[in-house]
Amino acid sequence: MIIDSIQQLESLYDRTLFVYPVLQDSKRHRIESDIIALVMIDVNTKETFSVSKSHPDGLFQVKDYYFLDDCKVFSYDTILFKYAGYETDRFTDVQMQYYLQTNKSCNFETPTIINHYTRYLSDCGVLGSLVSLPKHESIAYDLFTRVFVEEKQPGLIFYQQRLLSSFYMIEKNGIQIDSTSFEERFGKSFSRVGDKSYTQYNYYTTTGRPSNRFDGINFAALNKEDGTRECFKSRFEDGKLVEIDFNAYHPRLIASLVGYDFGTDDVYEHLAKHYNNTDDPTKVQITSAKEATFRQIYGGISKQYMHVPFFKAASNLARSLWIYGNEHGYIESPISGRRLILANYQDISEYTLFNYFIQMYETEFNVLMLQPILLGLIGRQTKPILYTYDSILFDVPGNQVDYLLETVIPNAIDFAKFPIKTKVGSSIANLTVY
């Protein structure tokens, strides 16, 4: 039902609603894609309503979403409301609920009518308005029946209030571009908004590690050889891009879980000593140790390496997780309480489960680290602009580099356990060790 009066709108007060935002153009980045209407489904009665903000079907239109203040809201996409400037602390994010229960994303086939308009009118920019509100109601109701989970899932508070919010704070900053280089490399891209390019974090991955791409640009794997990285630079006239990169991150994360201490050694030098029974490993042995360590962590620890104390401890952790998971049907994050439910994975093995656990732990640990960094930058021009699993990129005015590296970062990271390498440059292409 299309709401056409204030009285009908007020009838929604105090209801429990599934809320689906209708975008003007879903191809555009959400920083510039306007919400033109809301579809709302009463969770208890299953009644469906829509209200226009600028959709042409609505003779009655709202200016904002104040009427949701008195409702219990299950939002299909909380980040869209954040971009629209709406307070979302009371919302429950539907996609996150579904992901935490199923370990799947809400990535369903595009409705036929949307496919049709996208194919034949891809550049019109108002696809949301071309589709009628009753049709949007039908699309929303189909999603509701597929993905709605009312019971609060373990880990939801951490993932919605901390993880989603932290990555939103990075994503909304964008990355300054050299317009000429960007256009030559990427042509017309919806990633570009003005003089910046925007990524979009996808949290709903099988591994639990967010991916980082938008409109064909994979920001987590920018090509180093073809000039792609030269497109991205500082937004400040005297600015620098500053990257902090963690050394041997996964071994150190595992060490933090099992209580293992690498001391002051480089991780791979430390392990090379054990592999080769020597106090002074060669560079070749250290390089070989790095390759062997990756194979053991990600492929399963071979018996021949069980004499190495670190691998013995890691193997014990993997085994304990496997036993607990098979007894209880899930394993649980020590940080968020999120559960990895074994039934959600097909033919899962002990070390696959171990890897999923470590990548979940990595993501959550990084969020705990990001929060004091974000707080430390409040009121500063410095902006975090890109996150990958073992590095963070900042855009920094020239006179704030020391503050970032000497005050903000040390307050967030224990360098003894997680040493970092710092690189600085005027663009991503020319980052050099600082």
Side-chain angles (χ1 to χ4, degrees), residues 356-374:
Y356 288 163
F357 176 82
I358 295 301
Q359 291 184 69
M360 171 182 67
Y361 181 77
E362 163 207 289
T363 299
E364 295 178 5
F365 187 86
N366 287 349
V367 169
L368 293 181
M369 174 189 63
L370 278 168
Q371 289 196 300
I373 291 175
L374 294 169

Side-chain angles (χ1 to χ4, degrees), residues 194-344:
D195 59 358
K196 294 182 180 64
S197 178
Y198 290 84
T199 186
Q200 190 161 295
Y201 292 96
N202 172 29
Y203 325 101
Y204 313 114
T205 64
T206 301
T207 64
R209 174 185 288 175
S211 61
N212 184 5
R213 65 171 66 228
F214 187 72
D215 196 32
I217 303 177
N218 183 355
F219 290 84
L222 294 172
N223 195 299
K224 298 179 180 180
E225 310 297 334
D226 66 355
T228 294
R229 294 181 171 225
E230 296 174 3
C231 301
F232 305 99
K233 62 178 187 177
S234 174
R235 71 195 66 201
F236 304 108
E237 185 174 346
D238 64 340
K240 299 292 183 181
L241 298 186
V242 177
E243 180 186 75
I244 61 169
D245 188 358
F246 291 97
N247 172 266
Y249 200 31
H250 269 190
R252 290 187 180 277
L253 284 170
I254 295 169
S256 73
L257 284 165
V258 300
Y260 189 84
D261 186 5
F262 287 110
T264 59
D265 285 347
D266 172 86
V267 166
Y268 302 116
E269 180 180 357
H270 178 97
L271 292 173
K273 293 177 181 179
H274 287 281
Y275 292 155
N276 299 284
N277 194 26
T278 178
D279 292 330
D280 189 23
T282 66
K283 289 184 178 180
V284 172
Q285 288 173 328
I286 293 171
T287 300
S288 177
K290 182 175 182 178
E291 296 170 355
T293 300
F294 277 104
R295 287 196 301 270
Q296 301 314 301
I297 289 176
Y298 303 123
I301 298 170
S302 302
K303 290 182 179 180
Q304 71 183 92
Y305 291 103
M306 286 300 180
H307 70 284
V308 179
F310 170 73
F311 286 130
K312 181 66 174 177
S315 177
N316 289 340
L317 174 59
R319 170 53 52 171
S320 66
L321 290 170
W322 183 246
I323 291 172
Y324 186 94
N326 280 280
E327 287 180 354
H328 296 84
Y330 64 87
I331 58 174
E332 192 168 276
S333 164
I335 295 176
S336 70
R338 176 191 170 188
R339 293 177 177 179
L340 299 184
I341 301 168
L342 269 65
N344 287 335

Side-chain angles (χ1 to χ4, degrees), residues 112-122 124 127 130-131:
T112 302
I113 190 169
I114 303 295
N115 266 334
H116 175 80
Y117 283 133
T118 301
R119 181 176 179 182
Y120 293 105
L121 298 168
S122 59
C124 78
L127 293 179
L130 295 179
V131 178

